[in-house]
Amino acid sequence: MPDPDKILSTKNVSALLDGAKMGRLSKMILGLDGQISANLSKKMIGGQWISGQALIKTTGFEFQPSKLNQPFFKNMDELRILIPWSELNQVSKRFGMVASIIDLETSADTLSIRCYGGDELISQINAARTA
């Protein structure tokens, strides 16, 4: 029997997540001034860019934060995002300073990810949605 949640493709990306909570190591490294700057930046851009992997699956889109983030954030399990294809309303691309930003819009929220090769990722997402 075929796997109903088969991974069709993967890509290294960063996701803009509002719920990331700094761990003790981050606070120690940044110091008080750095923590204040990080909080201001988080408020200005709507979250923190967290590196990880985009998984295009037969059932939906998944973002998994990189294990390298584990010492720096204390809520790693909450940073995993799953969007079933049935809930994904629109996929769009916009300009980003470092790389293209892709917005995955649902009726409840928008997940922004950035990566190189954004057009190819959008094509893979659209192909998986219609399969």
Side-chain angles (χ1 to χ4, degrees):
M1 177 181 238
D3 183 3
D5 200 19
K6 180 181 174 186
I7 296 173
L8 304 173
S9 66
T10 62
K11 183 150 185 81
N12 291 327
V13 300
S14 293
L16 183 62
L17 302 176
D18 186 31
K21 297 177 185 166
M22 275 194 267
R24 186 182 312 223
L25 183 58
S26 290
K27 291 178 181 179
M28 286 174 34
I29 291 171
L30 291 174
L32 184 59
D33 290 346
Q35 289 178 53
I36 292 169
S37 296
N39 284 332
L40 287 173
S41 175
K42 185 177 177 179
K43 287 179 184 176
M44 286 174 45
I45 64 170
Q48 293 174 302
W49 288 104
I50 309 294
S51 64
Q53 208 171 42
L55 305 175
I56 311 294
K57 297 182 169 186
T58 53
T59 56
F61 177 90
E62 184 174 339
F63 171 77
Q64 291 183 349
S66 170
K67 298 279 187 210
L68 295 174
N69 292 313
Q70 203 158 13
F72 303 103
F73 298 101
K74 59 183 175 183
N75 61 333
M76 288 291 289
D77 291 337
E78 296 171 19
L79 301 180
R80 184 177 161 267
I81 307 292
L82 178 61
I83 303 173
W85 297 133
S86 60
E87 294 180 17
L88 185 61
N89 297 332
Q90 184 176 352
V91 181
S92 57
K93 182 177 122 179
R94 59 186 164 102
F95 174 77
M97 291 294 284
V98 176
S100 300
I101 298 174
I102 299 169
D103 291 324
L104 303 165
E105 298 176 37
T106 67
S107 57
D109 204 2
T110 298
L111 173 65
S112 295
I113 59 172
R114 67 179 176 195
C115 63
Y116 296 110
D119 290 329
E120 181 183 346
L121 183 61
I122 291 172
S123 295
Q124 291 173 343
I125 290 170
N126 287 330
R129 284 174 69 188
T130 57

